[in-house]
Amino acid sequence: MDECIEQAASLFKVLSSPVRLRIIVRLHESPMAVQELAEAVGVSQTLLSQHLRVMRMAGLVRADLDGRHRTYRITDEHVSHIVLDAISHSKEEH
């Protein structure tokens, strides 16, 4: 049980960035290429790449190579449900 709690804490740590939450929301809608995702999230490709690297290392997203382009997608729908539920919860409080 303690190991599961540690893993959950690590997940919340990775998700603590508003940019990463936006990435999860956008990728929940559909897989996206880096440039398209950067525009949708409203950050530079450089900053987006840094966030995606952290998310890949945490196993939250994966990149599929399509020619010269990488398309990112969520690896576990549970994560997007956690994020969407948290957003819904915050809307209820306002």
Side-chain angles (χ1 to χ4, degrees):
M1 182 66 151
D2 285 342
E3 185 178 329
C4 291
I5 290 173
E6 292 296 325
Q7 289 175 348
S10 293
L11 172 63
F12 286 120
K13 186 175 180 180
V14 170
L15 294 175
S16 67
S17 164
V19 171
R20 293 183 196 144
L21 294 180
R22 285 188 205 104
I23 292 169
I24 293 292
V25 169
R26 294 300 183 168
L27 293 181
H28 174 75
E29 296 167 359
S30 68
M32 291 186 171
V34 174
Q35 183 177 3
E36 180 183 25
L37 187 55
E39 290 173 12
V41 173
V43 297
S44 69
Q45 281 186 318
T46 302
L47 181 58
L48 180 74
S49 293
Q50 292 171 3
H51 284 287
L52 288 171
R53 180 181 52 80
V54 171
M55 295 172 76
R56 275 194 326 267
M57 289 173 50
L60 302 181
V61 297
R62 77 170 196 259
D64 297 328
L65 199 55
D66 182 24
R68 294 177 49 195
H69 302 281
R70 291 184 189 275
T71 301
Y72 282 86
R73 65 185 69 247
I74 294 173
T75 58
D76 186 347
E77 291 298 319
H78 288 103
V79 173
S80 60
H81 292 292
I82 290 168
V83 170
L84 295 173
D85 285 347
I87 292 168
S88 292
H89 177 70
S90 70
K91 287 179 182 177
E92 290 173 3
E93 292 185 0
H94 292 284

